[in-house]
C-alpha cells in the first residue's frame, strides 16, 4: 500500500524554487524524520558514532519530482525500513560511514541528471568528509545552505506532530508533579534531576535535560552537588521529547508555605505569561508577543528584574518562528513581522532572579490555533508542595 507524503508538496517546491535549489539533501536526524513522516532508525535514534565514522542518513528530494526522491540508510537499516512506512521508493541501506553516504548520494544525483545542479545541504551538520566527497564527485554542482527551506517546511505542524507535542508536554508536567511528591530538602540537584529523569522515562519520554535551580544564591541551573534547603524555592525546567518532538515547560515547588514575597513574585510571572497569550493566534503578528509581554512587565512592581522570551519549537528548540533578535540565543528575529500560522508551536517563558527569593519561572508550550492558542500541560502553575509536606 502506498504511503502518503507527510508534508505540503507544493510548499516545499515553492521554498526550493525561491531559494534557487534544484535538489536537497537532508542529513540531520530531525529533518530526515520530518521528511519521512516520523521515521527514525531505532538503532541510531540518539547516537551517531559507529566503527570508524558515523551514522549519516540522507533524504534526497528533486524539486518538482517527488518520484525521484531517495533515501540512504545504514548497512543494517533494513531492520528499520522493512516495515514499509516510508513513502520514498528508492531506499539504499548501504552506508557504514559518512563517505559511503556521500558517494551514494552523488551517484543518485548524477543518475537523475543533477551533476551540474544547485544542491541544498545542511552545512552546519553535514560532516566535512561527506561534503568534500560530494564536491569531488560532483565538481560542477553548486552546494548551498538548505536550512531555511527545511525549517520553514517544519514550521507548521501536522495534526500527527501536534499530538506528539501534546504527549510530550503532558508527560513533562506529570513527571514534574510526581517528582515534586518525591523530593525533599537535603537532596542535591543531582538527586532531584535523577528523580525527574526516572519519572520522564516511566512515561515514555526521552530525557534531554532538567534545569534545576534552588532558592537564592547561585542561579546556575545545571545539576550539581548543591543541596536544597527547606523553605527555599525549587524550579525544574525541562525540554523532554516524545518520539523526537519537544515539550518545554517550567514549574515551581517548595516544601513549606511560600512567603508572601514568593507568592507575589510568582503571581507577577503568571500575569506576564497570561498577557503574552493574548497576542497569540493565527494571523497575528508574531513580534507582538514580545510587545505585549514587555509592556506588561514594565507596569509590574518587580518588572525591572524580570526577563521574557518566546521562541518556536518542534523537533528542535528555537526553530521557526524566530520572533526576536535580542533573545538569549543570538539569532536574527526573521519572523517578527510575519503573521503566526495555525499549527506553529511556541515556548513562552518569564522568570525572575533574586538572591533572596530565588529563581522563579514559568514556561509554557503553546500551539497556535485559528482563534488563539492551546496550552498542553497547562497545570501545576502555582507553588507546588513537595514530598516533605505531603
Amino acid at each position: 500500500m502506498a504511503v502518503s507524503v507527510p508534508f505540503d508538496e507544493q510548499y516545499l517546491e515553492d521554498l526550493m524554487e525561491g531559494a534557487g535549489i534544484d535538489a536537497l539533501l537532508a542529513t540531520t536526524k530531525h529533518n530526515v524524520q520530518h521528511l519521512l513522516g516520523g521515521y527514525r532508525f531505532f538503532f541510531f535514534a540518539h547516537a551517531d558514532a559507529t566503527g570508524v565514522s558515523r551514522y549519516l542518513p540522507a533524504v534526497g528530494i528533486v524539486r518538482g519530482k517527488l518520484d525521484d526522491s531517495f533515501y540512504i540508510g545504514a548497512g543494517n537499516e533494513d531492520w528499520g525500513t522493512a516495515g514499509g512506512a516510508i513513502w520514498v521508493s528508492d531506499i539504499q541501506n548501504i552506508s557504514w560511514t559518512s563517505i559511503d553516504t556521500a558517494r551514494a548520494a552523488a551517484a543518485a544525483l548524477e543518475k537523475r541528471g543533477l551533476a551540474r545542479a544547485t544542491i541544498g545541504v545542511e552545512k552546519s551538520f553535514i560532516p566535512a568528509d561527506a561534503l568534500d566527497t560530494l564536491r569531488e564527485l560532483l565538481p560542477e554542482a553548486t552546494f548551498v545552505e538548505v536550512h531555511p527551506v527545511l525549517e520553514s517546511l517544519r514550521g507548521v505542524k501536522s495534526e500527527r506532530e501536534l499530538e506528539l507535542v501534546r504527549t510530550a508536554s503532558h508527560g513533562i508536567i506529570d513527571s514534574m508533579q510526581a517528582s515534586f511528591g518525591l523530593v525533599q530538602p537535603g537532596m542535591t540537584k543531582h538527586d532531584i534531576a535523577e528523580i525527574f529523569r526516572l519519572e520522564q522515562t516511566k512515561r515514555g519520554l526521552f530525557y534531554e535535560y532538567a534545569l534545576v535551580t534552588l532558592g537564592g544564591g547561585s542561579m546556575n541551573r545545571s545539576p550539581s552537588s548543591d543541596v536544597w534547603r527547606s523553605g527555599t524555592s525549587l524550579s525544574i525546567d525541562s525540554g523532554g521529547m516524545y518520539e523526537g518532538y519537544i515539550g518545554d515547560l517550567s514549574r515551581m515547588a517548595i516544601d513549606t508555605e511560600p512567603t508572601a514575597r514568593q507568592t507575589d513574585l510568582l503571581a507577577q510571572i503568571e500575569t506576564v505569561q497570561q498577557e503574552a497569550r493574548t497576542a497569540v493566534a493565527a494571523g497575528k503578528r508574531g513580534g507582538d508577543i514580545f510587545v505585549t509581554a514587555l509592556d506588561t512587565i514594565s507596569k509590574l512592581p518587580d518588572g525591572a528584574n524580570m526577563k521574557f522570551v518566546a521562541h518556536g519549537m518542534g523537533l528542535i528548540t528555537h526553530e521557526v518562528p524566530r520572533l526576536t533578535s535580542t533573545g538569549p540565543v543570538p539569532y536574527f528575529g526573521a519572523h517578527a513581522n510575519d503573521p503566526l500560522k495555525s499549527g506553529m508551536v511556541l515556548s513562552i517563558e518569564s522568570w525572575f532572579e533574586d538572591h533572596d527569593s530565588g529563581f522563579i519561572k514559568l514556561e509554557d508550550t503553546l500551539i497556535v490555533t485559528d482563534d488563539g492558542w492551546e496550552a498542553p500541560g497547562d497545570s501545576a502553575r502555582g507553588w507546588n508542595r513537595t514530598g516533605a509536606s505531603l
Side-chain angles (χ1 to χ4, degrees), residues 125-144:
F125 294 94
I126 189 168
D129 58 2
L131 187 54
D132 286 347
T133 300
L134 287 171
R135 287 174 169 155
E136 176 186 349
L137 296 177
L138 301 173
E140 296 183 76
T142 301
F143 294 94
V144 299

Side-chain angles (χ1 to χ4, degrees), residues 156-171:
V156 175
K157 276 64 176 173
S158 67
E159 183 54 38
R160 178 191 63 83
E161 293 175 294
L162 293 177
E163 191 56 35
L164 297 177
V165 171
R166 293 184 186 104
T167 301
S169 300
H170 287 298

Side-chain angles (χ1 to χ4, degrees), residues 29-30 33 38-46 77 244 315:
K29 285 184 286 192
H30 57 272
Q33 177 175 343
Y39 172 79
R40 184 180 289 202
F41 185 31
F42 73 91
F43 197 78
F44 292 106
H46 303 296
E77 200 158 341
L315 280 163

